[in-house]
């Protein structure tokens, strides 16, 4: 067997193998072809055009067909499938294990990949398929943030651990590594659940220490890979344009050679020529559009940024442009697996490729109630502020000092109330009542007036008061004596709501009592 004489067919097949070598996934190989706007060849197996090469979008089935076929690796084989007749008279195809094939001769003819790479591809496909099977072995890197996806092993039972995600109060998505094999099969409890955020951070720090000498080689490889991929895809798209131009020219020659008087044939050839010209125009437009996109992706700024990362691999690892899948691919090039066990602390046993091992100890993450627990210094400050301030004013003071509640949120009157209830801290109303201040009902009874009259006198500034909340006020015991000093000519109209007194300029400002019982109370007295 020889390679296909069509250079475009050869380029498409080689690009398929290179994409799978880079992505380790048949599905991602299909998506790369679709993103680049590339077509893949196939031969018709039946019909009048049997053997003709047709170009169509790449499918997942076509990728698997190429990867599993040893012929693309230069091998001769026979007996891979067995045909059997059924009782109903039909045919049944059974795939035979490779050790039962009648013949298999590696390197019998030129191939697109070597035999060793073909074996590696089969192992990768088997690992990808086992990600959904009973063993739950390593799967291709996915989009999640779990760094050890497919690599975490439970030390207690030796099985692979799955990943579960949950959302914290601040919106961050964090992983947990869970061993659920026994729970699924036997209905028992979950074997182990290990918080993954701290483990991933420890593995990331270990990786930075391990690969720092390799940073230059990694960065240079990263720099070459996008350029080579773009150039190869550009060559393949250019070949598609050349093929469309050739087919348009071929139909044109057929049309020019036909007898003009034979309108039945001439009209058909003319319609075919117009269709080929439209296909050529579409191919040229797609080629130019994709070429412009490649130029935007591979601009000069990025070409200079990639080598600058060579001397700073930690920045490359933490760069937001480095996706989770890329980090996992880098990790799998270095680590074989990571065994986890949870005791007083989380023990992490790392096995590198080649046999070297490292053991780490990660502290247990704090439970949720401790993470939400308010700092003792903030509680003491709240206790001090509530001597003279309401809940809302204490929250504003804490925010002005740059302090934040759990989840980096600003303090509110509700959060101050939660702190008071949790730590048994008295509010401003209780503290002032303990100092002997009177409610509106009490001061009205003492003065022998109605509640509405007390409210009018307070608003007019005749009756000193201390605000405890938006609509609650307390009155010092000396307020009645201060009120009696005012002439009856002022009190009587104010009592009937017809006073000419000018109220306070700021309804929410503090009002100073005539004889305040305490300097702190005088500083915090206010009116509506």
């Amino acid at each position: 067997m020889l390679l296909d004489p069509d250079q475009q067919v050869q380029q498409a097949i080689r690009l398929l193998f290179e994409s799978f070598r880079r992505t380790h996934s048949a599905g991602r190989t299909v998506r790369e072809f679709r993103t680049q706007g590339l077509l893949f060849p196939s031969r018709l197996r039946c019909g009048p055009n049997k053997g003709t090469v047709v170009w169509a979008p790449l499918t997942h089935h076509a990728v698997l067909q190429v990867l599993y076929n040893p012929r693309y690796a230069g091998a001769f084989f026979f007996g891979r499938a067995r045909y059997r007749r059924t009782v109903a008279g039909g045919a049944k195809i059974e795939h035979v294990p490779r050790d039962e094939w009648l013949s298999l001769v590696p390197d019998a003819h030129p191939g697109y990949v070597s035999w060793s790479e073909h074996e590696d591809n089969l192992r990768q496909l088997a690992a990808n398929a086992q990600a959904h099977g009973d063993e739950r072995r390593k799967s291709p890197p996915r989009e999640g943030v779990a760094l050890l996806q497919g690599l975490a092993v439970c030390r207690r039972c030796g099985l692979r651990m799955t990943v579960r995600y949950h959302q914290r109060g601040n919106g961050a998505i964090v992983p947990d590594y869970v061993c659920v094999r026994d729970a699924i099969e036997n209905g028992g409890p979950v074997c182990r659940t290990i918080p993954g955020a701290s483990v991933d951070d420890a593995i990331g720090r270990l990786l930075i220490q391990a690969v720092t000498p390799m940073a230059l080689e990694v960065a240079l490889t990263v720099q070459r890979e996008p350029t080579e991929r773009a150039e190869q895809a550009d060559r393949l798209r250019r070949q598609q344009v050349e093929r469309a131009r050739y087919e348009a020219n071929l139909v044109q020659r057929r049309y020019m050679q036909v007898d003009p008087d034979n309108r039945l044939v001439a009209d058909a050839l003319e319609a075919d020529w117009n269709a080929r010209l439209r296909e050529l125009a579409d191919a040229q437009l797609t080629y130019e559009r994709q070429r412009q996109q490649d130029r935007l992706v591979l601009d000069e700024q990025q070409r200079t940024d990639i080598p600058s990362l060579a001397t700073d691999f930690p920045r490359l690892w933490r760069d937001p442009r480095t996706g989770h899948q890329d980090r996992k691919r880098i990790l799998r090039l270095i680590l074989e697996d990571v065994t986890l066990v949870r005791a007083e602390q989380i023990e992490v046993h790392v096995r590198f490729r080649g046999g070297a091992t490292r053991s780490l100890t990660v502290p247990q993450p704090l439970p949720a109630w401790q993470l939400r627990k308010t700092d003792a210094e903030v509680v003491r400050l709240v206790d001090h502020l509530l001597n003279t301030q309401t809940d809302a004013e204490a929250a504003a003071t804490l925010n002005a000092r740059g302090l934040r509640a759990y989840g980096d949120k600003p303090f509110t009157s509700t959060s101050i109330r939660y702190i008071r209830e949790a730590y048994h801290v008295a509010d401003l109303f209780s503290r002032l009542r303990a100092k002997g201040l009177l409610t509106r009902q009490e001061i009205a009874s003492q003065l022998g007036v109605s509640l509405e009259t007390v409210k009018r006198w307070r608003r007019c500034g005749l009756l000193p008061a201390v605000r405890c909340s938006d609509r609650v006020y307390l009155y010092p015991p000396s307020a009645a004596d201060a009120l009696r000093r005012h002439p009856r000519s002022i009190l009587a109209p104010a009592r009937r709501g017809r006073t000419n007194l000018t109220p306070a300029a700021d309804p929410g400002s503090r009002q100073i009592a005539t004889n305040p019982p305490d300097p702190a109370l005088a500083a915090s007295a206010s009116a509506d």
Side-chain angles (χ1 to χ4, degrees):
M1 173 184 173
L2 299 177
L3 300 181
D4 196 291
D6 193 325
Q7 292 294 325
Q8 186 181 2
V9 174
Q10 293 187 24
Q11 291 292 337
I13 296 175
R14 288 194 174 95
L15 181 60
L16 184 149
F17 281 107
E18 291 181 7
S19 298
F20 183 79
R21 187 186 309 122
R22 181 175 58 256
T23 62
H24 303 288
S25 170
R28 287 183 60 83
T29 301
V30 173
R31 286 194 291 272
E32 283 204 358
F33 268 73
R34 297 294 179 96
T35 302
Q36 297 288 343
L38 302 177
L39 303 178
F40 193 76
S42 61
R43 293 188 183 276
L44 299 178
R45 297 187 177 184
C46 59
N49 297 323
K50 180 180 179 180
T52 303
V53 176
V54 295
W55 295 81
L58 183 63
T59 62
H60 188 266
H61 174 72
V63 176
L64 297 180
Q65 197 173 32
V66 171
L67 295 175
Y68 278 115
N69 196 333
R71 188 175 288 113
Y72 290 93
F76 171 81
F77 63 93
F78 183 77
R80 186 172 65 160
R82 182 184 297 119
Y83 297 83
R84 290 185 178 181
R85 289 289 179 180
T86 62
V87 178
K92 182 178 181 181
I93 302 176
E94 296 179 352
H95 291 281
V96 179
R98 194 168 72 174
D99 54 358
E100 298 180 11
W101 292 1
L102 299 178
S103 176
L104 177 61
V105 183
D107 301 325
H109 55 79
Y112 291 93
V113 293
S114 63
W115 180 254
S116 61
E117 183 174 347
H118 174 71
E119 295 285 308
D120 292 340
N121 292 341
L122 294 182
R123 282 192 290 269
Q124 183 63 54
L125 289 173
N128 295 353
Q130 288 169 353
H132 305 282
D134 295 335
E135 294 295 330
R136 293 189 180 272
R137 297 293 181 183
K138 291 182 292 184
S139 59
R142 303 301 297 271
E143 297 80 3
V145 299
L147 192 61
L148 300 182
Q149 169 242 323
L151 299 181
V153 179
C154 177
R155 183 178 178 182
R156 180 181 180 184
C157 58
L159 298 176
R160 299 274 172 180
M161 306 183 76
T162 59
V163 181
R164 298 289 184 270
Y165 291 100
H166 65 274
Q167 187 174 13
R168 286 180 175 171
N170 56 2
I173 303 297
V174 294
D176 288 335
Y177 298 108
V178 186
C179 181
V180 296
R181 174 68 178 274
D182 184 67
I184 293 175
E185 291 188 354
N186 304 319
V190 174
C191 178
R192 283 290 184 271
T193 299
I194 297 180
S198 57
V199 174
D200 287 354
D201 292 340
I203 293 296
R205 292 191 296 269
L206 176 63
L207 184 66
I208 291 174
Q209 298 174 1
V211 303
T212 298
M214 303 164 55
L216 180 60
E217 181 180 354
V218 171
L220 294 178
T221 302
V222 171
Q223 181 189 21
R224 289 193 299 267
E225 184 177 346
T227 305
E228 293 174 355
R229 287 204 325 253
E231 292 176 353
Q232 188 173 18
D234 184 75
R235 287 195 301 269
L236 196 54
R237 286 192 296 269
R238 189 166 58 248
Q239 290 174 355
Q240 291 178 359
V241 175
E242 294 174 358
R243 179 176 294 276
R245 183 178 292 109
Y246 165 76
E247 293 178 352
N249 293 335
L250 179 62
V251 175
Q252 179 187 10
R253 289 196 299 270
R254 291 174 182 171
Y255 174 75
M256 298 301 294
Q257 294 174 2
V258 73
D259 185 359
D261 295 333
N262 191 354
R263 298 310 307 169
L264 296 177
V265 177
D267 290 344
L269 291 177
E270 183 180 6
D272 192 14
W273 185 18
N274 291 332
R276 298 298 180 181
L277 289 176
R278 285 192 295 268
E279 292 177 1
L280 175 60
D282 293 341
Q284 289 177 334
L285 180 62
T286 302
Y287 172 73
E288 293 297 334
R289 182 171 59 249
Q290 193 64 41
R291 191 176 184 184
Q292 291 296 330
Q293 292 180 1
D294 291 343
R295 288 178 179 176
L296 294 176
V297 173
L298 299 173
D299 57 7
E300 291 300 326
Q301 182 63 34
Q302 292 182 352
R303 293 177 186 272
T304 56
D305 287 346
I306 293 177
S308 66
L309 297 176
T311 56
D312 191 6
F313 184 79
R315 187 157 58 94
L316 171 65
W317 178 259
R318 301 187 182 100
D319 196 304
R321 294 173 295 179
T322 305
H324 300 301
Q325 291 175 307
D326 297 329
R327 291 189 180 93
K328 294 176 187 179
R329 291 193 188 100
I330 296 174
L331 186 70
R332 294 181 181 208
L333 294 175
I334 302 172
L335 302 185
E336 183 67 30
D337 53 40
V338 178
T339 303
L340 304 177
V341 58
R342 184 174 185 176
E344 294 182 358
Q345 293 183 324
I346 301 176
E347 299 179 8
V348 183
H349 304 282
V350 182
R351 186 159 63 101
F352 291 86
R353 290 188 179 273
T357 59
R358 284 282 300 275
S359 295
L360 307 173
T361 301
V362 179
Q364 288 272 20
L366 295 176
W369 67 271
Q370 288 190 5
L371 293 175
R372 294 183 174 89
K373 186 177 180 181
T374 306
D375 186 72
E377 185 61 30
V378 175
V379 176
R380 286 194 292 270
L381 182 58
V382 169
D383 188 17
H384 173 71
L385 293 176
L386 291 180
N387 287 323
T388 57
Q389 296 182 0
T390 63
D391 291 353
E393 293 169 341
T397 302
L398 295 177
N399 295 331
R401 297 188 182 186
L403 300 176
R404 288 295 181 267
Y406 171 75
D408 199 26
K409 297 179 181 178
F411 283 96
T412 62
S413 58
T414 303
S415 59
I416 297 298
R417 178 169 60 84
Y418 287 157
I419 293 176
R420 289 195 292 100
E421 294 175 354
Y423 296 95
H424 306 288
V425 177
D427 60 351
L428 179 61
F429 179 85
S430 302
R431 296 168 190 246
L432 295 180
R433 288 288 289 168
K435 292 183 179 181
L437 271 73
L438 306 177
T439 64
R440 188 169 64 163
Q441 291 81 359
E442 293 173 343
I443 195 68
S445 176
Q446 186 178 15
L447 295 174
V449 296
S450 65
L451 298 178
E452 189 63 26
T453 300
V454 173
K455 183 177 180 180
R456 290 196 190 102
W457 284 348
R458 173 179 56 78
R459 287 184 174 181
C460 294
L462 300 176
L463 188 63
V466 179
R467 186 176 63 180
C468 299
S469 66
D470 291 338
R471 309 183 72 174
V472 177
Y473 291 81
L474 293 179
Y475 303 85
S478 58
D481 298 335
L483 191 64
R484 295 189 183 97
R485 298 192 186 98
H486 292 284
R488 187 176 298 274
S489 59
I490 295 179
L491 295 179
R495 183 173 180 177
R496 294 190 297 270
R498 294 195 299 270
T499 181
N500 294 325
L501 291 178
T502 302
D506 183 6
S509 61
R510 298 293 183 184
Q511 300 294 325
I512 301 177
T514 306
N515 295 311
D518 188 276
L521 298 180
S524 59
S526 67
D528 286 339

